[in-house]
């Protein structure tokens, strides 16, 4: 496989990416917090797109994977800027974001910032507003005090080393919330959510479904699927959701 290419952004960050030419809309994979573009879902979708002759893009946010920067220095707004830079510089015409976990939040922010570019949207265990509704809401008084005094706290993860959550990430997240104000999504949206997901609750998926203003939005709950959502049946569901949006858009 060819090595990654790199995009230098206006903010001085260097983003690693892989781009597949083909017919539009361009399917763009938006990964989760501390994940990268070499994950199972991203690579599976890339191979699927290549087999179809579909244009496809995967990239690493700053502080993730092969891109520049440290994770601890980043925040939702930085990764939103990265997403906009990648979309603006590396794609043309309609795009179909596929957002996983934090990437689901990024996909919604992208839809808010570039509505004219979005052909449709697929989310996988979308985690909108998680810095406020999961992290901050779940912090003890001692953790909130530590965040104020030290500037960061560590949270255990089921999947990797602890997450370092900074005060900047929490404060910036409050400027990026999407479930507190109108959220127009005037295109087909398909949401996938596992019922055994320990990171994002089914309640979050239902809240997004209720909140969004969308004429064609569907949520599929998959019994016993976890947050990874990357076994064979789940990958097939992701394919089907993208195809559904391509047909409906």
């Amino acid at each position: 496989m060819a090595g990654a290419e790199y995009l230098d952004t206006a903010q001085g960050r260097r983003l690693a990416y892989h781009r597949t030419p083909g017919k539009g809309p361009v399917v763009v994979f938006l990964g989760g917090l501390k994940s990268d573009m070499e994950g199972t879902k991203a690579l599976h979708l890339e191979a699927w797109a290549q087999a179809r002759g579909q244009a496809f893009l995967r990239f690493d946010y700053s502080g993730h994977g092969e891109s520049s920067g440290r994770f601890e220095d980043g925040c939702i707004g930085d990764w939103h800027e990265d997403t906009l830079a990648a979309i603006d510089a590396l794609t043309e015409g309609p795009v179909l974001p596929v957002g996983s976990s934090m990437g689901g939040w990024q996909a919604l922010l992208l839809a808010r910032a570039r509505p004219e570019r979005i052909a449709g949207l697929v989310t996988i265990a979308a985690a909108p507003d998680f810095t406020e509704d999961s992290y901050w809401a779940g912090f003890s008084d001692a953790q909130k005090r530590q965040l104020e005094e030290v500037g960061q706290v560590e949270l255990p993860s089921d999947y990797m080393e602890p997450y370092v959550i900074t005060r900047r990430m929490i404060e910036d997240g409050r400027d990026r919330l999407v479930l507190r104000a109108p959220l127009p999504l005037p295109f087909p949206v398909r949401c996938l959510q596992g019922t055994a997901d320990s990171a994002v609750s089914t309640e979050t998926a239902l809240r997004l479904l209720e909140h969004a203003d969308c004429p064609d939005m569907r949520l599929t709950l998959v019994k016993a699927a976890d947050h990874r959502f990357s076994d064979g049946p789940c990958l097939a569901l992701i394919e089907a959701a993208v195809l559904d949006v391509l047909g409906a858009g």
Side-chain angles (χ1 to χ4, degrees), residues 7-15 62 68 77-86 168:
L7 170 69
D8 292 314
T9 75
Q11 293 80 21
R13 301 191 280 266
R14 172 163 277 202
L15 306 182
S62 53
S68 69
D78 291 347
W79 304 323
H80 177 50
E81 290 172 347
D82 295 344
T83 300
L84 292 179
R168 178 171 180 253

Side-chain angles (χ1 to χ4, degrees), residues 23-135:
K23 63 190 174 186
V26 186
V27 177
V28 181
F29 186 78
L30 301 175
L33 191 72
K34 290 199 83 173
S35 67
D36 59 47
M37 63 174 172
E38 300 298 322
T40 302
K41 293 186 289 291
L43 294 179
H44 180 87
L45 267 181
E46 180 180 65
W48 175 84
Q50 288 171 345
R52 281 178 48 84
Q54 190 89 35
F56 183 82
L57 174 68
R58 57 186 170 99
F59 68 95
D60 285 329
Y61 312 110
S62 53
H64 292 68
E66 298 176 64
S67 291
S68 69
R70 298 190 320 146
F71 171 79
E72 292 80 6
D73 295 332
C75 62
I76 301 301
D78 291 347
W79 304 323
H80 177 50
E81 290 172 347
D82 295 344
T83 300
L84 292 179
I87 293 294
D88 291 346
L90 304 175
T91 70
E92 294 182 356
V95 296
L96 197 170
V98 179
S100 175
S101 193
M102 189 269 285
W105 189 359
Q106 291 295 339
L108 296 168
L109 289 170
L110 172 63
R112 193 163 71 180
R114 299 285 188 273
E116 74 285 353
R117 296 287 310 278
I118 310 298
L121 185 60
V122 174
T123 68
I124 307 158
D129 300 5
F130 73 86
T131 54
E132 191 70 13
D133 296 335
S134 178
Y135 288 170

